[in-house]
């Protein structure tokens, strides 16, 4: 089976502040891998050893995004792809369309994808809407907030966690799954693995390669615009 | 020349549109509604029609062309509700309250897509929904997305609601982003406050960032529909009034 892991680089929650005069958030330090995505990498690593899965990682954004893909190599990824784009971060529609395009391109290059894995959400808005958006783009069935995942042939047994209750669902592959942080305890890659990861090649993809028409990104209508940000009293 | 048209195969002859038309531009002929020449395409009738028998020829051409349509074409508020014969779920009652207030502010109908029994439908009407599109729950273990996605998408496309609200729950997270992607619009993360700009009819939502360390006010500008998730315990429930009237129709 082939697994594609979607990774996101996010502002470090410990390293942000709010400008009182401008009403905007600012970042003081380097961006980090979305903490929820560590659990996604762990699950992919487990699928690689249990199911002999081909473990592919994909992240999109400007150049520094490459750093989160190095972490995927340290978790044992077979190949990492960086979709280089500078789309508005509040434009979940365009981001999802671009990532779906990249997944199609990778499937053409490497073979059919059976499972797309994403994190449950990110610290900024806790949203986690990109996974289901990509599933819609690729016409895939999905299971969100999955705490336990078993593979039975071409079918997944997914235990979803909602409001403290578990519900088990069977989903045919190919499918998209978002991983609940309770699913596992991510390993901590040692220094040697991290150093080796630094030498691996990250393949670059460009938006122009995806065959998306400019109308795919109807500028000005699909993004969320922050009017102001403030700290509650 | 008006563009509003009647699909006579769908028209059941209920005369709701005749009743709602302030210009008396609709007449009944042989048990079916007919639009008269002096229709001004105000869209009151096709927002009213529960059978999907009225549509704007111009608007359907525009939807085929993509997202470049006027926000004017989108009117009305839709809420996603769940319940059983004993009534609506608590989270659904809160979403209903949020939707009712926005509908009043905008001067439009509040409609609901309800998954649940007739008790829940009556509860929805008594708490302020003008029209309930009711359907029975899908078999357990079927994916929510597969069961409700296309009927809901069909309803939103046909009625062109300007605002669609969901509670902050797993079913909503499964459905709302998929709908937002297919409708090429933004999805507001769970909001704890909602206001509308009376002129632009834009929705301004307050979202919690970094686990509530910061609050952000967000908007999506020209996007329609404006789809938002509603945080729990943020909107006080409306009280139930059994004498309140509303319409309950069976939904796909």
């Amino acid at each position: 089976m082939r697994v594609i892991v979607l990774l996101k680089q996010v502002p470090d929650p410990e390293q942000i502040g709010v400008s009182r005069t401008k009403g905007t958030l600012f970042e003081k330090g380097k961006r980090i891998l979305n903490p929820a995505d560590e659990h996604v990498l762990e699950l992919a690593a487990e699928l690689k050893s249990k199911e002999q899965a081909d473990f592919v990682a994909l992240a999109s954004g400007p150049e520094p995004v490459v750093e989160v893909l190095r972490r995927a190599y340290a978790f044992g990824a077979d190949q990492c792809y960086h979709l280089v784009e500078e789309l508005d971060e509040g434009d979940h529609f365009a981001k999802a369309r671009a990532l779906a395009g990249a997944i199609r391109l990778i499937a053409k290059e490497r073979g059919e994808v059976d499972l797309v894995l994403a994190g449950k959400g990110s610290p900024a808005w806790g949203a986690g809407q990109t996974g289901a958006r990509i599933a819609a783009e690729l016409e895939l069935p999905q299971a969100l907030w999955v705490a336990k995942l078993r593979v039975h042939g071409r079918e997944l047994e997914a235990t979803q966690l909602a409001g403290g209750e578990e519900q088990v669902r069977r989903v045919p592959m190919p499918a998209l799954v978002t991983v609940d942080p309770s699913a596992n305890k991510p390993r901590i890659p040692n220094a040697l693995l991290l150093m080796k990861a630094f030498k691996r090649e990250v393949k670059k993809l460009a938006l122009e390669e995806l065959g998306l028409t400019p109308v795919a990104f109807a500028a000005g209508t699909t993004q969320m615009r922050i009017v102001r940000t403030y700290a509650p009293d | 020349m008006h563009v509003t048209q009647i699909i006579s195969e769908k028209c059941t002859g209920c005369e709701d549109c005749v009743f709602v038309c302030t210009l008396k531009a609709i007449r009944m002929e042989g048990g079916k509604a007919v639009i008269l020449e002096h229709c001004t395409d105000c869209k009151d009738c096709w927002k009213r029609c529960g059978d999907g028998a009225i549509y704007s020829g111009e608007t359907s051409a525009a939807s085929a062309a993509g997202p470049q349509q006027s926000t004017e074409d989108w009117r009305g508020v839709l809420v996603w509700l769940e319940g059983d014969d004993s009534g609506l779920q608590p989270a659904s009652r809160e979403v209903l309250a949020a939707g009712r207030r926005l509908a009043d502010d905008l001067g439009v109908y509040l409609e609901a897509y309800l998954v649940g029994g007739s008790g829940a439908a009556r509860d929805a009407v008594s708490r302020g929904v003008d029209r309930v599109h009711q359907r029975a729950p899908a078999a357990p273990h079927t994916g929510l997305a597969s069961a409700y996605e296309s009927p809901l998408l069909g309803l939103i496309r046909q009625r062109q609601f300007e605002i669609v609200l969901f509670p902050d729950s797993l079913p909503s997270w499964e459905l709302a982003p998929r709908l937002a992607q297919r409708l090429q619009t933004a999805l507001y993360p769970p909001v704890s406050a909602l206001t509308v700009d009376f002129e632009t009819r834009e929705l301004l939502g307050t979202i919690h960032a970094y686990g509530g360390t910061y609050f952000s006010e967000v908007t999506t500008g020209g996007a329609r529909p404006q789809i938002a998730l509603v945080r729990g315990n943020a909107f006080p429930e409306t009280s139930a009034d059994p004498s309140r009237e509303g319409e309950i129709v069976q939904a796909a």
Side-chain angles (χ1 to χ4, degrees), chain B residues 55-224:
Chain B
Y55 76 104
S56 151
E58 188 181 62
T59 308
S60 25
S63 349
Q68 308 294 332
Q69 35 178 308
S70 157
T71 55
E72 291 292 308
D73 291 333
W74 300 79
R75 286 284 183 271
V77 179
L78 180 76
V79 289
W80 159 272
L81 304 176
E82 287 176 89
D84 53 33
D85 278 327
S86 63
L88 293 173
Q89 288 180 0
S92 291
R93 295 202 292 263
E94 293 175 22
V95 170
L96 191 162
R100 183 67 261 171
R101 227 191 48 213
L102 293 175
D104 287 342
D105 287 349
L106 292 166
V108 293
Y109 282 120
L110 175 65
E111 304 195 21
Y113 188 88
L114 167 76
V115 175
S118 52
R122 279 193 301 275
D123 193 18
V125 169
S126 76
R127 289 174 188 276
V129 178
D130 298 307
R131 183 187 286 142
V132 180
H133 302 264
Q134 184 203 352
R135 65 157 286 166
H141 308 303
T142 19
L144 286 153
S146 55
Y148 307 119
E149 184 180 349
S150 51
L152 201 46
L153 191 64
L155 184 68
I156 296 170
R157 283 208 170 117
Q158 183 220 335
R159 314 281 296 169
Q160 298 196 297
F161 299 103
E162 59 201 300
I163 295 172
V164 181
L165 302 179
F166 287 86
D168 178 11
S169 65
L170 177 58
S172 306
W173 281 106
E174 293 254 10
L175 277 165
R178 292 181 77 105
L179 293 171
Q181 191 69 18
R182 293 188 192 281
L183 292 161
Q184 306 202 0
T185 189
L187 169 65
Y188 292 66
V191 292
S192 57
L194 279 173
T195 51
V196 279
D197 181 311
F198 291 106
E199 223 158 273
T200 59
R201 304 174 84 89
E202 275 172 24
L203 194 59
L204 187 71
T206 303
I207 63 174
H208 295 205
Y210 296 95
T213 314
Y214 302 109
F215 287 179
S216 291
E217 285 172 6
V218 297
T219 181
T220 59
R224 294 292 185 279

Side-chain angles (χ1 to χ4, degrees), chain A residues 3-230:
Chain A
V3 178
I4 291 198
V5 169
L6 303 176
L7 300 177
K8 189 180 182 190
Q9 196 175 41
V10 299
D12 186 343
E14 311 287 322
Q15 299 281 323
I16 49 161
V18 66
S19 152
R20 283 181 188 279
T21 46
K22 283 190 246 164
T24 50
L25 273 183
F26 59 86
E27 297 168 30
K28 290 181 273 194
K30 272 170 64 172
R31 289 194 162 198
I32 57 165
L33 173 65
N34 179 21
D37 295 358
E38 297 268 344
H39 301 274
V40 185
L41 286 175
E42 177 61 33
L43 180 60
E46 286 166 14
L47 288 169
K48 181 178 173 167
S49 61
K50 270 193 251 165
E51 309 285 334
Q52 290 76 51
D54 182 30
F55 172 2
V56 181
L58 166 66
S60 82
E63 196 46 42
V65 163
V66 158
E67 283 170 35
V68 303
L69 291 166
R70 303 221 179 278
R71 193 150 182 90
Y73 275 135
F75 272 78
D78 295 297
Q79 182 63 56
C80 291
Y81 292 86
H82 175 200
L83 172 62
V84 187
E85 46 86 358
E86 296 197 359
L87 296 167
D88 187 300
E89 293 201 323
D91 197 343
H92 298 102
F93 167 78
K95 287 262 183 193
R97 181 151 281 189
L99 282 165
I103 292 170
R104 279 195 211 101
L105 202 66
I106 292 167
K108 241 185 244 170
E109 184 178 306
R110 230 177 147 81
E112 285 306 304
V113 175
D114 303 290
L115 179 60
V116 181
L117 291 177
K120 189 183 164 180
S122 56
W125 297 344
Q129 53 175 278
T130 309
R133 280 178 178 272
I134 290 169
E137 281 284 323
L138 297 172
E139 302 291 345
L140 292 180
Q142 70 191 25
L144 306 189
W145 308 0
V146 170
K148 259 181 266 168
L149 189 71
R150 286 213 183 91
V151 181
H152 303 285
R154 295 294 302 156
E155 205 176 51
L156 297 169
E157 184 188 302
T159 306
Q160 293 176 293
L161 208 59
E165 277 181 44
E166 287 191 351
Q167 62 183 55
V168 181
R169 242 173 64 200
R170 284 183 171 264
V171 185
M173 286 195 282
L176 180 139
V177 163
T178 68
V179 182
D180 189 90
S182 70
N184 54 42
K185 192 170 175 291
R187 65 196 64 182
I188 297 164
N190 63 36
L192 184 65
L193 284 170
L194 287 167
M195 276 179 42
K196 276 187 176 164
F198 205 75
K199 294 185 183 141
R200 297 282 304 272
E201 182 222 2
V202 171
K203 285 197 182 168
K204 300 280 181 190
L205 303 173
L207 273 182
E208 297 73 46
E209 290 174 72
L210 307 180
L212 301 170
T213 53
V215 75
F217 308 111
T221 62
T222 55
Q223 78 262 41
M224 180 91 59
R225 197 165 49 79
I226 299 177
V227 179
R228 72 178 183 120
T229 295
Y230 57 99

